[in-house]
Amino acid sequence: MADMMQFDLVSPERRLASVEAREVQIPGADGDMTAMPDHVPTITTLRPGVLKVAHAGGTDEYVVSGGFAEISGDGVTVLAEEALPRGELNQDMFDRMIQGLRDRHAKAKDAYVNEPGPVDEAAKLLADMVAVGSEMGLSSN
């Protein structure tokens, strides 16, 4: 069993990370998961949350708003809708992320009047991001 694997995190704006990692904690849409070297191949969607990467130099944390993670036996690639290092998240950025999710929820309510599934999913994404902000001491006015 290998003790390290390749980890890459990419958002539409930039590549945030490319390191050899021991483990990656992923905020999956169906529940949190930890990927380690030789993990069974998996593709999962992300929910808003904090993605943690343990590597030789310590642990890095990134706030993600959604996207996909592809786990293979030798690495993890995350394609995030929006991502930034946890230390870069400030109130203005958080407000922008929350507003985007509120807009998404409002559109779902308009488009799916008698179909609660998509509306509930949008509400869950918003609630997850509010929880991330609360954990970091940010307000979701």
Side-chain angles (χ1 to χ4, degrees):
M1 175 186 225
D3 61 343
M4 299 296 272
M5 63 183 171
Q6 180 61 36
F7 170 73
D8 293 292
L9 172 59
V10 180
S11 74
E13 294 83 26
R14 62 184 169 156
R15 174 180 294 255
L16 287 111
S18 182
V19 299
E20 289 289 312
R22 278 191 297 279
E23 70 178 48
V24 180
Q25 296 176 18
I26 301 166
D30 293 325
D32 292 347
M33 63 188 313
T34 300
M36 298 174 78
D38 297 325
H39 192 284
V40 66
T42 306
I43 295 177
T44 186
T45 54
L46 303 177
R47 65 171 170 73
V50 178
L51 185 139
K52 298 177 183 177
V53 183
H55 53 83
T59 301
D60 295 331
E61 297 183 353
Y62 301 90
V63 175
V64 296
S65 65
F68 297 90
E70 179 182 15
I71 304 165
S72 64
D74 58 353
V76 176
T77 300
V78 174
L79 305 173
E81 290 175 7
E82 191 170 9
L84 62 149
R86 180 177 176 155
E88 289 182 16
L89 183 64
N90 60 37
Q91 188 65 52
D92 289 338
M93 291 174 156
F94 181 68
D95 290 344
R96 185 179 47 77
M97 294 171 93
I98 288 290
Q99 189 57 51
L101 290 168
R102 284 184 177 143
D103 293 346
R104 190 172 178 175
H105 183 241
K107 287 178 187 174
K109 287 195 309 191
D110 289 343
Y112 300 98
V113 176
N114 292 318
E115 300 176 52
V119 177
D120 292 346
E121 289 171 18
K124 173 83 170 87
L125 292 175
L126 177 58
D128 286 343
M129 186 55 77
V130 168
V132 168
S134 293
E135 179 183 321
M136 295 181 193
L138 300 172
S139 170
S140 61
N141 296 331

